[in-house]
Amino acid sequence: MDNSRIVEIWVGVFVAIGLGALFLLAMQVSNLAEFREQKTGYRLRAHFSNIGTLKVRSPVKIAGVTVGRVAAIHLDPEQYQAVVEMRIQPQYKLPDDSIASIYTSGLLGEQYVAIEAGGSPEFLEDGDEIEITQSALVLEELIGKFLVKATEESGPKE
Amino acid sequence: MIDPLQRLGAASLNAFAKLGRANLFLALALTGVPEILRRPGLLIRQMYMVGVLSILLIALSGLFVGMVLGLQGYNVLSDFGAEESLGVMVAASLVRELGPVVTALLFSGRAGSALTAEIGLMKATEQLSGMEMMAVDPMKRVITPRLFAGILSMPLLAGLFTYIGIYGGYFVGVLLLGVDEGSFWSQMQAAIDFREDIINSVIKSLAFGVIVTWIAVFEGYDAVPTSEGVSRATTRSVVYSAFAVLGSDFILTALMFGE
Amino acid sequence: MVRSDDILVRIRGLVFAHGRRRIFDGIDMDIHRGAVTAIMGPSGTGKTTLLKLIGGQLKPRSGTVEVDGHDVHRLSRGALYRLRKRMGMLFQSGALLTDLNVFENVAFPLREHTDLPESMIRSLVLMKLEAVGLRGARDLMPAQLSGGMARRVALARAIALDPMMIMYDEPFTGQDPISMGVLVKLIRTLNDALGLTSIVVSHDVAETASISDYIYVLSGGRIVGQGTPDELRRSDSPWVRQFMDGLPDGPVPFHYPAPEYREDLLR
C-alpha cells in the first residue's frame, strides 16, 4: 500500500509540473496577459482611406509607447473607407483633436497606428471617432507620385 | 507477371484488415472509460509508468534543443542585426513545431515501445488469456488505462519540453551571448499568440498522444505471441509512430497555420 | 470413484477449424460433475483448443458446448463473463501477472469481482495459498518462482473465487518428478475437498491415469478411445494402445506426411 502512495504522489507532482509549464507558457511566453487589458480599455474609431498592412491586434502608440491595440477592421460600404476600431487602455486620456496616422516600424517592420495628441481640453470617450487621420504610405503610390513629379520637372526642358 | 500483382493485392488487403482491426480495437478500448472513472488507481499507476518516468528524458532533451536553437538562431539573426528577435525565433519554433513533435518522437521511443513490449509479452505469456478466463476484460483492465495515460501525459510532457526549451534558448542567448533580456521576452510575447500558438500546440500534442499511444498498445495487442513477434511489434510501433506523427503534423500545421 | 450421472459439460458434434486445417471433426463428450476427467492425445491434436472452446474464448464452426445448462457460444458477453467466474483455468505457463507478487496475483480475482474488505481478502488469499503449500512465498514475484511453484500459485488463483470447475492445460509438462507428484496430488485432493469438477488436458499417461475417473483419447480430430483408466489399459484399439504404451509408430505415423523418400532424394 505504501508503494501505491508514492506512485500517487509522483503522478501528482508530474501533473502539477506539466500544468504549471502550460500555464507559464500561456502567461509568460504568449500575449495572454494582454487580453485582460483589452477588455478594460475604451473603444475609439477612425476612418482611413488606406490602412496598408495594418492587422487586428497591431499596436496603437503615442510617442512610441504602446497604449492599446487594434480591435477590429472593416470597410465602410458607403464611403469605401477602412474603419479601424481601437481599444485604448483607460489610464490614457486623448484630446478630441488628436491625429491618428498609420506608420511602419523600421523599413520592413509591421504597421501600427500612431496617435499625436492634440491640445483640446475635451477628451475622447468610449465610442468616439478620431476625425483627423493620415493613411498608410503605400510604396507603389509613392513611386508613382515621384515619377509623375520627375516627368513634370523634366518636361519643359524638352 | 501475375505474381507481383497478387503480392500487391495481398499486402493491400492485409493493410486494410489491420486498419480495420485497429479501429475496432480503439472503439473497444473506449468502452473501458467508465471503468477508469470508477477506479482511477488503474490510470494513476499507468501515468506513473508512462509519464513520470519520461520526465527526465523530456526535460533534458528540451533543454538541449532550446540551447541549440539559441546558438543557431543567434548566428543567423546577428547577420541581419536582428538578435533581439531571438526570443521570437526560439519560442515560435518550440511552441509551434519542435515541442509537440520532438516530445512525441521521444515519447514513442521511451514509453510507446515499452507499452508495446509489455502488452505483447502479456499476450505471449497468456496473461491476457488468463484474465479473460478469470472473467476480467483485458481491454478494460489493461488497454484502456494505458491508452488514456498516454493521451493525458503527452500535452503535459510537451508543455514541459517547450517551457524548458525556451529557458535553454534564454540561457544561451541572453546569459551567454548577451542578447538584451527585455527585448528577448517582449518580442516573444508580442509575436506568440495565445489562441493561435499555445492552444494549437496543446491540440497538436493531444493528437500526437492519441496517435502514438494507440499505435503502441495496438501493436502490442496485435503482436504474434512469440518473442520474435513481440520484438518485431516493438520496432513497428516506433517506426509507425514516427511516420504517423510527422505525417499528421504536416496536416495539422496546414489546417492550423495555413489559412 | 464418484460417478454420478449429473453432467456438467456436454459437447455435441463439435467442429472447429483453424484456416483450412480441421482440428475437431465432430466430437461428443460428457464431463460428469464431481469427477476428474482427462483428455489425452498426442501433441498438436488441439487439446488446449478444446479448453478454450469450453471457456468461450474460441467459437466452433458447428456443434454446441453446454456448461451447467448454458450454451457457451450463445451467451451474451455479460452472461459469459458471469459463467467464467465459476470456471477456473490453469494455463500451461501459469499466466501469472508478472507485475504483481504472489499474494496480489491470488488476490487479483477477488479484488476484481468482489468488494470484500482488505482483512477478508487477506484471510482468503492465505487460505488458498496454504492449500497449495505456498503461504510462505506470498511476497515473491512470479519471476522468482520455479515452474512448478508458478503453477501452484496459478492454481491457488484459479480456486480463489471457489469455482465449480477447473480446467488444467498440460499441468505436468516440463516438471521434475517431485513437483509433478505435488501437482498430481493437489489436483485430486482439491477436486475432492472442494467438490470441484476437473478437466485435465495432458499427454503424460501414467500421472494422468493415476488420478482421473474417466479418460478421452483424441487423435486426428476425433475421439479414438474413452473409458475409465482400467478399461483403457485393457483396450485393444491400436490408437489407444499406441498412445498408452508410447509406441513410436502405429496409427499415428512416425513420419510427418511427405512424398516417397526415394523420390525426394532422387529429385
Side-chain angles (χ1 to χ4, degrees):
Chain A
M1 286 304 97
D2 226 7
N3 183 27
S4 84
R5 210 177 120 75
I6 294 167
V7 166
E8 280 167 17
I9 291 170
W10 266 109
V11 172
V13 169
F14 167 53
V15 173
I17 290 179
L19 289 179
L22 287 174
F23 175 76
L24 286 172
L25 272 181
M27 298 311 290
Q28 194 178 339
V29 174
S30 85
N31 52 4
L32 181 66
E34 289 173 12
F35 277 120
R36 262 170 314 163
E37 296 168 21
Q38 264 187 23
K39 296 248 165 66
T40 56
Y42 63 96
R43 295 172 79 94
L44 293 180
R45 281 188 308 143
H47 280 70
F48 292 95
S49 57
N50 194 325
I51 57 164
T53 61
L54 193 76
K55 292 190 197 78
V56 173
R57 302 199 35 73
S58 291
V60 177
K61 298 183 180 185
I62 299 176
V65 178
T66 303
V67 294
R69 296 268 171 192
V70 172
I73 296 174
H74 53 89
L75 189 71
D76 179 339
E78 282 159 23
Q79 302 174 42
Y80 297 105
Q81 280 192 324
V83 181
V84 173
E85 293 199 24
M86 295 163 275
R87 255 189 199 282
I88 309 295
Q89 289 165 35
Q91 66 268 38
Y92 302 112
K93 300 272 179 249
L94 297 179
D96 65 359
D97 59 347
S98 298
I99 305 169
S101 321
I102 297 179
Y103 288 153
T104 309
S105 57
L107 194 58
L108 299 168
E110 285 197 47
Q111 289 190 302
Y112 64 96
V113 180
I115 296 179
E116 261 174 78
S120 161
E122 303 288 317
F123 290 108
L124 290 165
E125 281 172 25
D126 189 44
D128 282 354
E129 171 144 6
I130 299 179
E131 301 287 350
I132 315 165
T133 63
Q134 188 185 338
S135 287
L137 290 179
V138 179
L139 207 58
E140 288 90 333
E141 274 179 26
L142 274 182
I143 294 171
K145 276 180 194 163
F146 175 76
L147 285 178
V148 169
K149 214 173 165 189
T151 45
E152 274 172 2
E153 279 173 6
S154 63
K157 285 179 190 164
E158 273 176 23
Chain B
M1 189 62 220
I2 297 295
D3 268 9
L5 272 180
Q6 190 210 337
R7 273 201 292 277
L8 180 68
S12 326
L13 286 179
N14 278 339
F16 272 114
K18 187 162 184 175
L19 206 60
R21 285 203 303 280
N23 278 302
L24 196 65
F25 172 84
L26 184 66
L28 280 176
L30 291 180
T31 62
V33 173
E35 179 83 0
I36 53 173
L37 292 179
R38 199 167 60 81
R39 291 171 60 188
L42 292 178
L43 182 66
I44 289 175
R45 170 114 218 135
Q46 293 308 319
M47 291 274 288
Y48 180 81
M49 306 297 289
V50 165
V52 173
L53 297 183
S54 306
I55 289 181
L56 195 64
L57 171 77
I58 296 290
L60 281 178
S61 310
L63 184 68
F64 288 131
V65 168
M67 284 163 65
V68 168
L69 277 176
L71 209 55
Q72 293 283 16
Y74 182 84
N75 285 339
V76 174
L77 291 172
S78 61
D79 286 349
F80 301 101
E83 300 96 303
E84 278 73 24
S85 300
L86 186 65
V88 184
M89 205 212 88
V90 169
S93 353
L94 280 169
V95 171
R96 289 181 193 161
E97 291 297 335
L98 293 177
V101 172
V102 176
T103 306
L105 295 179
L106 290 170
F107 184 85
S108 93
R110 167 72 185 76
S113 61
L115 283 177
T116 309
E118 186 193 13
I119 294 170
L121 281 175
M122 286 180 89
K123 188 180 178 187
T125 54
E126 296 179 309
Q127 292 182 50
L128 297 183
S129 246
M131 277 193 191
E132 262 181 37
M133 284 308 298
M134 284 187 280
V136 174
D137 189 346
M139 215 56 176
K140 290 178 180 158
R141 183 64 172 65
V142 176
I143 304 295
T144 312
R146 283 169 176 74
L147 185 67
F148 277 84
I151 294 174
L152 294 178
S153 296
M154 187 74 87
L156 300 176
L157 290 171
L160 187 68
F161 182 96
T162 308
Y163 189 67
I164 291 184
I166 287 171
Y167 265 90
Y170 170 83
F171 175 73
V172 170
V174 175
L175 299 184
L176 294 186
L177 298 171
V179 172
D180 178 59
E181 178 167 4
S183 40
F184 183 89
W185 290 113
S186 67
Q187 291 215 14
M188 186 192 299
Q189 284 164 5
I192 304 293
D193 188 72
F194 178 69
R195 262 179 242 139
E196 284 276 306
D197 294 316
I198 307 275
I199 294 287
N200 277 347
S201 174
V202 173
I203 291 174
K204 260 191 185 180
S205 57
L206 260 179
F208 295 160
V210 173
I211 290 169
V212 171
T213 328
W214 180 17
I215 290 176
V217 290
F218 174 70
E219 283 294 345
Y221 195 77
D222 204 47
V224 179
T226 59
S227 42
E228 197 208 355
V230 174
S231 83
R232 274 164 185 264
T234 310
T235 310
R236 271 204 307 272
S237 158
V238 175
V239 172
Y240 289 174
S241 294
F243 271 130
V245 164
L246 296 173
S248 60
D249 181 48
F250 172 71
I251 295 169
L252 285 172
T253 307
L255 288 177
M256 287 169 175
F257 303 104
E259 282 185 80
Chain C
M1 289 281 151
V2 208
R3 286 283 273 112
S4 69
D5 288 330
D6 188 5
I7 292 167
L8 183 63
V9 181
R10 188 193 303 267
I11 298 175
R12 288 292 175 267
L14 188 72
V15 175
F16 182 81
H18 207 86
R20 287 191 196 132
R21 204 164 75 90
R22 284 215 159 190
I23 293 176
F24 297 122
D25 202 1
I27 283 185
D28 297 331
M29 211 179 258
D30 291 323
I31 309 246
H32 290 265
R33 206 184 284 273
V36 176
T37 305
I39 299 169
M40 301 172 73
S43 310
T45 43
K47 300 185 297 287
T48 306
T49 310
L50 186 63
L51 294 187
K52 290 197 167 170
L53 282 163
I54 296 173
Q57 284 186 297
L58 293 174
K59 269 200 189 323
R61 197 103 356 137
S62 66
T64 55
V65 177
E66 266 179 39
V67 176
D68 201 24
H70 305 282
D71 182 342
V72 174
H73 301 98
R74 292 256 169 75
L75 289 177
S76 69
R77 195 178 166 76
L80 177 61
Y81 270 60
R82 276 197 294 285
L83 182 62
R84 280 186 187 160
K85 283 184 205 171
R86 297 161 59 210
M87 299 179 180
M89 173 137 171
L90 190 73
F91 285 82
Q92 199 169 346
S93 60
L96 295 177
L97 302 173
T98 40
D99 56 341
L100 300 177
N101 66 16
V102 166
F103 183 94
E104 287 300 320
N105 258 293
V106 179
F108 181 81
L110 296 168
R111 292 198 201 283
E112 291 293 322
H113 294 307
T114 67
D115 287 321
L116 295 175
E118 192 56 38
S119 60
M120 185 90 112
I121 287 184
R122 197 181 124 83
S123 335
L124 278 171
V125 171
L126 292 184
M127 202 164 93
K128 306 294 175 186
L129 280 174
E130 175 72 19
V132 297
L134 289 178
R135 193 163 43 84
R138 71 184 100 154
D139 293 324
L140 297 182
M141 294 306 282
Q144 296 168 289
L145 301 174
S146 71
M149 283 163 82
R151 270 175 223 189
R152 279 151 73 189
V153 174
L155 184 53
R157 185 177 67 175
I159 58 173
L161 287 173
D162 292 321
M164 58 183 178
M165 68 182 248
I166 297 195
M167 298 184 276
Y168 298 88
D169 185 7
E170 304 280 6
F172 311 124
T173 310
Q175 298 297 309
D176 64 74
I178 301 172
S179 34
M180 200 185 270
V182 170
L183 282 166
V184 168
K185 179 174 161 281
L186 269 178
I187 291 174
R188 187 74 237 182
T189 47
L190 283 179
N191 189 73
D192 297 346
L194 303 177
L196 296 167
T197 303
S198 305
I199 306 175
V200 183
V201 152
S202 177
H203 48 237
D204 294 280
V205 177
E207 289 74 20
T208 314
S210 70
I211 51 161
S212 44
D213 299 314
Y214 202 78
I215 299 178
Y216 286 93
V217 181
L218 287 178
S219 184
R222 295 179 171 280
I223 294 172
V224 294
Q226 56 176 298
T228 60
D230 286 337
E231 284 166 13
L232 282 184
R233 273 186 209 109
R234 288 195 301 272
S235 163
D236 48 9
S237 148
W239 296 87
V240 177
R241 283 263 61 82
Q242 187 194 1
F243 189 72
M244 298 295 279
D245 301 340
L247 305 173
D249 211 350
V252 178
F254 170 71
H255 290 289
Y256 191 83
E260 200 59 40
Y261 190 35
R262 256 173 67 91
E263 229 171 81
D264 222 8
L265 282 177
L266 293 175
R267 198 155 40 173

